[in-house]
Amino acid sequence: LDSQISLGAGMQLASSAIQIHAATLNDIDVLVIDERAWSAMNPGSKQAVINALRNGLGVLIRITGPLTANHRSELRRLGFNVNDVDIVQGVRLHKTDDGKTALALSKRPLQVNSRDAVNLLQDENNQTLALWRAEGRGRIGLWWLSDSYRLVLNDQASTHGQLWQKAFATLARARNA
């Protein structure tokens, strides 16, 4: 597991220097990135990710903040039409396995469409919070649930783990047994 987090003013917190190119992408099964990091990537790195996606890499783009016109354009090129909507941002997931009432979480106020996407995550009212679609031999997902980490902080780590396990299992590169 490698991570790289931009702290602002050019400072980054990283477990190691992550280089986005064909060789490193071939060694991983899932790339999770937010819309800001995707937009900040140089064109060569973006093309390397797209090529790796088409060759089997799983990619999950998390929408963590307001989207610019450039963000929307790039997401459209990846097969997702994303629009702001005036909707309630509070959501509850389905009841937990142990019968606990689901914690209220937040989603970005977005309407996301794709001609060939499949639901990855829905709230208790069956409103979509994440989608995925096939691209070549890989899968790309878009996730706009904002604060799933709160599940862990509120003694629902199992639910948190199940959410992310499903996402990674759905998107991850298929490997030979």
Side-chain angles (χ1 to χ4, degrees), residues 33-35 61-67 75 82 108 110 112 142-146:
I33 191 166
D34 70 19
E35 80 287 346
I61 299 176
R62 295 184 61 236
I63 300 178
T64 61
L67 297 175
L75 292 172
V82 182
R108 300 296 310 158
L110 301 173
V112 181
L142 203 59
W143 180 286
W144 57 98
L145 178 65
S146 302

Side-chain angles (χ1 to χ4, degrees), residues 69-127:
N70 186 50
H71 291 141
R72 291 175 204 286
S73 176
E74 291 192 344
L75 292 172
R76 195 169 18 265
R77 282 193 293 272
L78 295 170
F80 298 101
N81 292 315
V82 182
N83 296 298
D84 290 324
V85 290
D86 186 18
I87 57 174
V88 174
Q89 291 177 267
V91 297
R92 289 190 187 276
L93 302 178
H94 297 279
K95 287 202 182 274
T96 61
D97 289 341
D98 58 9
K100 289 183 182 178
T101 300
L103 179 69
L105 300 173
S106 301
K107 66 178 176 181
R108 300 296 310 158
L110 301 173
Q111 178 182 15
V112 181
N113 297 306
S114 174
R115 62 179 167 73
D116 58 354
V118 177
N119 285 326
L120 181 60
L121 177 63
Q122 293 179 310
D123 69 10
E124 68 181 0
N125 296 317
N126 296 319
Q127 297 298 309

Side-chain angles (χ1 to χ4, degrees), residues 49-63:
V49 171
I50 291 168
N51 292 343
L53 168 64
R54 291 177 179 152
N55 286 319
L57 176 67
V59 176
L60 180 63
I61 299 176
R62 295 184 61 236
I63 300 178

Side-chain angles (χ1 to χ4, degrees), residues 1 7 9 12 15-16 18 24 30 35 38-39 43 46 49 51 60 64 74 99 104 109 111 119 127-129 155:
L1 175 65
L7 302 174
Q12 291 187 342
S15 58
S16 64
I18 299 171
T24 57
V30 179
E35 80 287 346
W38 175 260
S39 289
K46 285 181 188 176
V49 171
N51 292 343
L60 180 63
T64 61
E74 291 192 344
Q111 178 182 15
N119 285 326
Q127 297 298 309
T128 303
L129 304 171
D155 198 29

